């Protein structure tokens, strides 16, 4: 069992606090809440939307809280929608996405296999927020996911790590801090810009053939910094800055994933590009 005093040792506590803005305040209550129609394994994909959508939460998130906005938005538009919990640490309830990213990618693979087997679909589409937009790339590259995934949509993804607005640059000044971080909350260490994990993930290019990639970023992101590090390079990539769609949108790292309907509209476009409609400020009312 991992005692709380180890998870929240001084330096780790600072990093967890900085990352905690990815989690809505009601996490403890909402994690057990009904999922409002998604994760319905009787759902069969339609001809209009033949691929189920798998939603992948961010660091310190869970399968319910992260998707109280987007899951119903997609469900009402005719998608079969599923979400998983991953990266759990023993003794740490509600706040997931903290385990090693490589292991989390294996959990995603198992979940996608289950969704495909249950729905009868050949492929799925994945939408992830923060770590949830980056972690599936390990599954695509190393665990055979490219054969099972049509598109990956990352909302403020940590594709090339983060400096947490420069905070991680202080780690070398705290002897043993990096090892402590890796031992207690491995996913945080994996997402520090320049980590060994990210070097392996991005070696040889950001993408794999056969998958369409969309990245939706906000210039007001305070967690995955610098925000341009979220972008991907390679074939079949579309990088989108939220403020290019709506200059008045002030959403930061939390809002872009949790309740920004302009982002949701662009996610729907990425999932169904043949029926895409321009995303503007007015899309907030769509």
């Amino acid at each position: 069992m991992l005692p709380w005093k180890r998870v929240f040792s001084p330096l780790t506590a600072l990093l967890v606090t900085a990352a905690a803005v990815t989690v809505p305040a009601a996490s403890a209550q909402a994690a057990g809440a009904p999922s409002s129609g998604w994760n319905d394994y009787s759902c069969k994909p339609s001809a209009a939307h033949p691929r189920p959508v798998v939603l992948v939460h961010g660091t310190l998130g869970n399968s319910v809280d992260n998707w109280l906005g987007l899951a119903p938005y997609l469900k009402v538009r005719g998608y079969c929608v599923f979400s998983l919990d991953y990266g759990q640490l023993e003794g740490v309830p509600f706040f997931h996405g903290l385990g090693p990213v490589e292991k989390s990618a294996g959990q995603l693979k198992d979940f996608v296999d289950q969704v495909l087997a249950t729905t009868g679909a050949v492929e799925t589409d994945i939408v992830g927020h923060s770590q949830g937009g980056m972690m599936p790339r390990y599954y695509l590259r190393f665990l055979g996911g490219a054969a099972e995934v049509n598109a990956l949509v990352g909302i403020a993804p940590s594709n090339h790590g983060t400096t947490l607005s420069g905070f991680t640059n202080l780690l070398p000044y705290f002897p043993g801090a990096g090892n402590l971080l890796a031992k207690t909350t491995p996913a945080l260490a994996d997402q520090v810009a320049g980590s060994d994990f990210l070097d392996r993930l991005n070696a040889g290019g950001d993408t794999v053939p056969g998958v369409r990639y969309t990245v939706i970023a906000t210039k007001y992101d305070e967690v995955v910094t610098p925000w341009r590090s979220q972008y991907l390079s390679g074939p079949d990539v579309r990088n989108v800055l939220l403020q290019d769609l709506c200059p008045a949108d002030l959403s930061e790292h939390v809002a872009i994933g949790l309740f920004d309907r302009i982002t949701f509209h662009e996610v729907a476009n990425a999932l169904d590009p043949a029926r895409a409609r321009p995303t503007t400020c007015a899309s907030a009312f769509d």
Side-chain angles (χ1 to χ4, degrees):
M1 180 174 181
L2 181 65
W4 284 100
K5 66 182 180 180
R6 286 182 61 200
V7 175
F8 291 104
S9 54
L11 180 65
T12 303
L14 289 173
L15 287 170
V16 169
T17 300
V21 295
T22 62
V23 182
S27 289
Q29 292 81 12
S35 56
S36 303
W38 78 91
N39 280 337
D40 174 8
Y41 283 90
S42 68
C43 186
K44 298 300 180 183
S46 65
H49 301 304
R51 293 177 298 276
V53 178
V54 172
L55 303 178
V56 186
H57 65 74
T59 305
L60 292 169
N62 60 64
S63 62
V64 176
D65 288 345
N66 220 134
W67 306 119
L68 292 172
L70 182 58
Y73 183 96
L74 295 175
K75 184 71 178 175
V76 77
R77 284 159 176 78
Y79 289 91
C80 293
V81 181
F82 301 87
S83 61
L84 77 157
D85 288 307
Y86 71 87
Q88 301 93 329
L89 293 182
E90 185 179 356
V92 184
F94 309 118
F95 302 103
H96 304 319
L98 291 170
V101 177
E102 181 176 342
K103 182 178 179 180
S104 295
Q107 293 177 278
L108 175 60
K109 172 182 168 51
D110 292 343
F111 187 80
V112 169
D113 287 346
Q114 178 186 0
V115 168
L116 293 179
T118 304
T119 61
V122 176
E123 290 183 309
T124 188
D125 291 325
I126 294 178
V127 180
H129 179 215
S130 194
Q131 180 190 166
M134 174 275 292
M135 177 269 281
R137 294 179 47 230
Y138 190 95
Y139 160 54
L140 297 179
R141 180 176 293 275
F142 298 111
L143 302 179
E148 299 179 323
V149 176
N150 169 71
L152 170 61
V153 183
I155 303 171
S158 52
N159 280 321
H160 297 97
T162 179
T163 68
L164 275 176
S165 298
F167 183 80
T168 62
N169 295 330
L170 300 177
L171 286 172
Y173 297 97
F174 294 85
N179 290 335
L180 176 64
L181 190 67
K183 185 175 181 180
T184 57
T185 51
L188 295 183
D190 285 344
Q191 291 177 88
V192 172
S195 72
D196 291 342
F197 171 81
L198 288 168
D199 286 346
R200 286 187 286 117
L201 176 64
N202 294 314
D206 292 345
T207 64
V208 296
V211 180
R212 291 188 295 105
Y213 296 82
T214 301
V215 172
I216 306 172
T218 171
K219 67 182 181 181
Y220 299 114
D221 200 311
E222 76 283 32
V223 175
V224 181
T225 60
W227 64 263
R228 288 180 180 84
S229 69
Q230 301 171 24
Y231 282 177
L232 295 172
S233 299
D236 294 320
V237 170
R238 182 166 182 261
N239 294 310
V240 180
L241 180 63
L242 183 59
Q243 285 72 34
D244 287 342
L245 305 175
C246 177
D249 195 319
L250 303 179
S251 291
E252 38 63 70
H253 190 80
V254 178
I256 191 175
L258 298 188
F259 53 77
D260 188 286
R261 289 178 68 89
I262 297 170
T263 299
F264 296 173
H265 190 275
E266 192 62 16
V267 168
N269 282 347
L271 295 175
D272 191 0
R275 297 180 178 86
R277 295 177 292 115
T279 301
T280 67
C281 293
S283 300
F285 307 100
D286 190 352

